[in-house]
Amino acid sequence: MYKRVLLKLSGEQLQGKFDGGFDAERAAWIAHEIERATTVGAQIVVMIGGGNYARGTQLVGGGVQRVTADNIGMMATMMNAVALADVFNTEGLPARALTNIKADQVADQFTHRRALSHLEKNRVVIVAGGIGRPYLTTDTAAVSLALELECDVILKATKVDGVYDSDPHQNPDAKRFASLTLQEAVERPDIKVMDKAAIALAADHDQSIIVFELLHEGNIMSAVKGDTIGTVIS
Ligand code: UDP
């Protein structure tokens, strides 16, 4: 049983039935999945991505600079975080959005102490703005945050049931890994589940990661209980 977990959700996972943007029904479904995990006693921190609205690397060009593009990406994560917090609270799952980019009118600033205080009150903490600096992704921010908040494990939600050596949606012969070492995940070029900067940071600090399929009912709770699901990278 893990006491405190960091759940990394990508923006794409919030678009649900839509081609982009935010699907409140999907968010409500996620709220119930997280709630099941909290009933077994886990504290949950969510690092939310922004890819359903914008990704820095896709916006660069035609005069738009990388730093600006990344700032837009971080603002996208903020849109997700505040909407997600609303849906979670409405569904009866106490949650607070904290942001690593300054936007006082929109959400409280992330501070270490504030995050811990919410967690101690059994509120889900949803962190927006990644780490608040450009040239990074929310995967790297997720690892950094997990270390900062002393999370026992990172749950990286994906579309498939673990780590494969190629995309199983495109390659029927793709091989699934039951487990990997952090070092293997850093070194193997065929492991692309998170960016290498994120995995390298996790490897430096022995931070375990479980890669699992989000849309499988009960998975978050099972992972929290320590049941074998997905691929464990440790
Ligand atoms: N981003 C950033 N710094 C961070 C985290 C994110 O600049 O610490 C920007 C970056 O442009 C990224 C975008 O925000 O592409 C959205 O995050 P990400 O691509 O990780 O979202 P996901 O793919 O998980 O939905």
Side-chain angles (χ1 to χ4, degrees), residues 85-136:
D86 266 8
V87 176
F88 283 11
N89 283 307
T90 302
E91 296 298 318
L93 178 67
R96 296 291 184 271
L98 297 177
T99 173
N100 268 320
I101 52 174
K102 277 199 184 136
D104 290 345
Q105 270 126 329
V106 184
D108 288 341
Q109 190 70 24
F110 175 91
T111 68
H112 181 78
R113 216 176 311 166
R114 197 173 273 158
L116 290 180
S117 161
H118 286 313
L119 289 172
E120 279 152 16
K121 291 172 188 142
N122 292 318
R123 295 172 182 149
V124 175
V125 172
I126 304 168
V127 176
I131 225 169
R133 309 302 309 168
Y135 288 93
L136 291 167

Side-chain angles (χ1 to χ4, degrees), residues 8-12 48-52 54-57 66 69-74 76-77 129-139 141 156:
K8 165 66 213 296
L9 296 173
S10 68
E12 211 182 325
I48 186 70
N52 52 330
R55 278 200 191 92
T57 47
R66 174 67 191 258
D70 281 338
N71 286 340
I72 295 169
M74 286 189 270
T77 70
I131 225 169
R133 309 302 309 168
Y135 288 93
L136 291 167
T137 66
T138 52
D139 276 352
K156 158 82 178 169

Side-chain angles (χ1 to χ4, degrees), residues 141-218:
V143 177
S144 163
L145 184 67
L147 294 168
E148 176 175 351
L149 295 177
E150 298 184 74
C151 295
D152 302 308
V153 72
I154 295 172
L155 304 181
K156 158 82 178 169
T158 59
K159 284 191 258 188
V160 291
D161 60 342
V163 180
Y164 286 78
D165 63 355
S166 58
D167 184 348
H169 287 141
Q170 279 165 27
N171 175 14
D173 297 325
K175 179 177 167 275
R176 180 180 174 278
F177 298 95
S179 67
L180 279 165
T181 66
L182 283 156
Q183 211 50 44
E184 281 171 324
V186 172
E187 283 164 13
R188 289 183 63 139
D190 53 347
I191 306 299
K192 296 186 179 123
V193 64
M194 290 172 101
D195 48 77
K196 294 295 181 191
I199 300 176
L201 181 61
D204 274 352
H205 299 279
D206 285 329
Q207 174 70 63
S208 305
I209 302 167
I210 298 173
V211 177
F212 76 103
E213 185 181 3
L214 177 70
L215 296 181
H216 187 282
E217 248 181 71

Side-chain angles (χ1 to χ4, degrees), residues 20-43:
F22 186 87
D23 180 358
E25 250 177 69
R26 169 63 62 78
W29 185 86
I30 294 171
H32 295 302
E33 288 295 296
I34 292 178
E35 193 178 17
R36 291 170 73 176
T38 58
T39 54
V40 296
Q43 296 175 343

